[in-house]
Amino acid sequence: MRRTTPRWYHPRHDPLFARARVSHYSLLRLLADGECHSGEGLGGRLGAPLAAVLERVRALNALGLRVQELPGQSFRLAHPIDLLDREALGRLLQGNSTAFTVEIMDECPSTNGALMERARNGAPHASVLACEHQTQGRGRLGKPWHSGIGTDLTFSLLWRFQQGAGALSGLSLAVGVAMARALARFGRADVQLKWPNDLMLRGRKLGGILVEVAGDHLGPSAMVIGVGLNVRWSAARAAAVDQPATALSEQGDSVPSRTALLAAALAELGAALGEFARGGFAVFRAEWLERHAWQGRRVTLRIAEREIAEGEAVGVGEDGALLLRSARGVQPFHSGELRLVEP
Ligand code: BTN
């Protein structure tokens, strides 16, 4: 007999599927400390037989996390892992002037994609979606964004503005300033910005920002602000990116927890987006220029791999447009991707 799947079926609604999805992350949480745990003890805490623990160990190994099996059917992660801590995040955000509604997912194709959908379905202002493992992260200009489990920070924030999206030029640059302020809280005062919104550390890309419009271009707008930050680096991750990139762990002795980074980012973003709603990018311009990674450098500007201009990057305008000086004088550009002529 042919089995038919009801039209409303989605694996998310299937309790078996949900249990299977959630369970290896539940195991990961128990193993996160890098200590040795008996299979029996793990099974007891998960409410699952040893066979199910073994199955979930295999699932974690398939994700590239190294769970070692030790004599006596004990298990430990080869390296402790820094998972997001909901309670600690709640404590760190207490007293903040923005009332964030935060959800932390184990796995998600793209936090921007998921939050865009929620925004269209009426999710409240200042909704935040973070995830441990983003499987199909979106970068600017249709590029993929790669991130590791427990090693990077991937989150999105929904911000509703009274203005239409057309009146919010420079928003993504202001977000870059807010993220640099957040990292300065941990002593990383040297984070720079590359137009339009890359976070740079010592000449390499540390993070990226993707701002998408979920609402109207004219009326009040809903903006989904996605941030990806490389926190801990591995050779495998380095090989997956197509430009010089870095992570906080590569450039400093101590790395803040992902939870602390998320809390600082949200606090700075909340404050900055309030400032932006009142004064636009003009309020942030001087600070952006102080952090401009490629000020005075010779660059090319490309759109869809086609070079459309070459000149000296002399800064940004009050609307966030890149200002390029060439034989034609100083011209503003509103989109594209920059490359250094001489690295
Ligand atoms: C860039 O290309 O530099 C922008 C990268 C933005 C990545 C973040 S990670 C969280 C959010 N969800 C996504 O799918 N993309 C953004």
Side-chain angles (χ1 to χ4, degrees):
M1 202 176 88
R2 216 176 125 237
R3 271 193 62 199
T4 52
T5 306
R7 279 187 54 192
W8 48 263
Y9 176 85
H10 187 283
R12 233 183 318 136
H13 305 134
D14 181 331
L16 281 176
F17 180 89
R19 218 181 319 136
R21 295 294 276 186
V22 166
S23 56
H24 55 273
Y25 283 93
S26 320
L27 176 63
L28 183 59
R29 250 172 233 112
L30 299 180
L31 294 171
D33 55 12
E35 300 291 323
C36 178
H37 296 266
S38 76
E40 215 177 20
L42 291 167
R45 291 171 73 185
L46 290 171
L50 186 60
V53 172
L54 287 169
E55 192 187 304
R56 285 152 207 185
V57 163
R58 277 195 290 276
L60 291 177
N61 281 326
L63 286 172
L65 295 159
R66 283 177 45 221
V67 184
Q68 300 168 328
E69 187 171 348
L70 306 166
Q73 284 199 311
S74 294
F75 300 90
R76 88 166 163 224
L77 265 185
H79 305 286
I81 190 167
D82 172 27
L83 297 178
L84 291 167
D85 180 336
R86 287 159 226 258
E87 281 74 38
L89 182 67
R91 282 194 300 278
L92 289 167
L93 287 175
Q94 240 167 35
N96 202 282
S97 55
T98 308
F100 296 102
T101 307
V102 184
E103 186 183 342
I104 298 172
M105 294 174 86
D106 289 332
E107 205 173 278
C108 166
S110 154
T111 57
N112 259 38
L115 197 54
M116 290 278 281
E117 195 183 323
R118 291 174 187 202
R120 285 191 281 263
N121 292 325
H125 172 71
S127 293
V128 178
L129 191 58
C131 78
E132 298 293 3
H133 186 204
Q134 186 172 254
T135 53
Q136 288 165 42
R138 311 205 291 231
R140 282 185 67 241
L141 309 172
K143 293 187 182 173
W145 182 260
H146 302 284
S147 45
I149 306 173
T151 54
D152 302 303
L153 191 59
T154 49
F155 72 94
S156 302
L157 164 65
L158 168 64
W159 205 261
R160 295 186 181 277
F161 290 91
Q162 286 309 311
Q163 303 96 310
L168 301 175
S169 54
L171 174 62
S172 63
L173 281 77
V175 169
V177 170
M179 285 305 300
R181 289 178 183 170
L183 290 162
R185 289 184 180 206
F186 301 97
R188 301 273 23 173
D190 50 349
V191 170
Q192 291 191 303
L193 301 167
K194 179 193 142 199
W195 188 88
N197 44 23
D198 284 355
L199 301 168
M200 306 287 286
L201 195 53
R202 304 197 188 151
R204 291 168 171 265
K205 184 158 170 169
L206 175 71
I209 292 156
L210 179 69
V211 177
E212 296 183 278
V213 189
D216 218 316
H217 273 262
L218 299 171
S221 51
M223 307 300 284
V224 170
I225 295 160
V227 178
L229 187 71
N230 304 330
V231 181
R232 287 187 177 75
W233 212 223
S234 70
R237 287 266 294 103
V241 292
D242 64 349
Q243 60 179 307
T246 189
L248 288 175
S249 63
E250 223 184 24
Q251 317 266 355
D253 299 335
S254 68
V255 180
S257 72
R258 290 164 68 238
T259 306
L261 286 164
L262 178 57
L266 292 176
E268 291 294 351
L269 282 168
L273 294 169
E275 274 178 79
F276 185 91
R278 290 185 293 276
F281 178 65
V283 180
F284 296 86
R285 183 169 170 256
E287 200 173 337
W288 198 95
L289 289 172
E290 271 170 35
R291 293 188 178 275
H292 186 191
W294 289 358
Q295 182 73 15
R297 303 288 301 270
R298 198 148 189 91
V299 295
T300 56
L301 181 72
R302 291 164 174 259
I303 294 183
E305 287 307 312
R306 202 168 68 86
E307 188 176 312
I308 60 155
E310 179 174 335
E312 183 192 344
V314 292
V316 290
E318 291 213 337
D319 58 355
L322 170 76
L323 302 177
L324 265 194
R325 193 196 330 262
S326 66
R328 290 192 224 150
V330 175
Q331 290 180 297
F333 291 90
H334 296 271
S335 65
E337 189 179 22
L338 285 186
R339 290 205 190 150
L340 281 177
V341 171
E342 279 170 29

